[in-house]
Amino acid sequence: MADFKANAVFAEIKQRLSKEPGLAKKVNAVFCFKIAGGPGGKSAAWIVDLKSASPCIKEGEGKADCTIKMKDDDFLKMMTGQLDAQKAFFKGQLKLSGNIGLATKLKALQQSSPKSKL
C-alpha cells in the first residue's frame, strides 16, 4: 500500500491529529476508505478512527460509521481541494455507505493550507 497516493493524505491527517488533538472530537466518527485504482490496479483500505479515546489510522478494513469508496487519483484530488466532493458524488467518483451524513465532516480533514506536503 506504500505506493498509493492516498498514503500521503493519511500521513497528513495523522500529523494534523497529533498537532490538533480537538480535531478527532470535532469529527467523532469512524471512516473506512476503500481506495481503488492504485499501483498496478490494486485496491486497498484504511480505517480512520476519530471516535475512540486514542484516534488512529490503520491499514485494512473494519467496522465503520461511514464507508467511502474512490479511486486513488480522485481521493487525492478531493482531499487537496482540487475535486469538489459533492460533484464527485453526483458523477459517481465518490460512493458512500453507512451514515452518509458523516461524510460532510470530512471537510475538517482536508488540506488546511497550501504549505501542505500533499
Side-chain angles (χ1 to χ4, degrees):
M1 288 197 241
D3 294 336
F4 278 80
K5 294 175 183 176
N7 268 330
V9 173
F10 295 118
E12 177 80 10
I13 293 170
K14 205 176 267 193
Q15 278 186 338
R16 288 196 53 216
L17 287 172
S18 65
K19 292 177 184 174
E20 303 172 45
L23 182 61
K25 195 175 256 188
K26 181 179 175 182
V27 177
N28 194 33
V30 178
F31 295 96
C32 179
F33 292 91
K34 294 183 178 182
I35 308 297
K42 292 181 184 175
S43 295
W46 286 264
I47 292 289
V48 178
D49 183 350
L50 304 175
K51 206 176 203 177
S52 66
S54 37
C56 65
I57 297 172
K58 58 187 175 186
E59 294 179 1
E61 294 185 41
K63 189 175 178 185
D65 300 317
C66 181
T67 300
I68 293 113
K69 294 180 183 178
M70 290 189 87
K71 289 186 177 175
D72 198 26
D73 288 333
D74 294 337
F75 179 67
L76 179 64
K77 288 176 186 173
M78 184 183 76
M79 294 304 285
T80 57
Q82 298 171 18
L83 176 65
D84 180 77
Q86 190 173 16
K87 287 179 184 175
F89 179 77
F90 287 113
K91 286 182 175 180
Q93 295 170 292
L94 166 63
K95 294 180 181 155
L96 302 168
S97 60
N99 184 343
I100 61 174
L102 290 173
T104 60
K105 293 186 174 190
L106 286 175
K107 190 94 172 142
L109 301 178
Q110 283 182 313
Q111 177 180 341
S112 59
S113 72
K115 293 180 183 177
S116 178
K117 294 177 183 146
L118 294 179

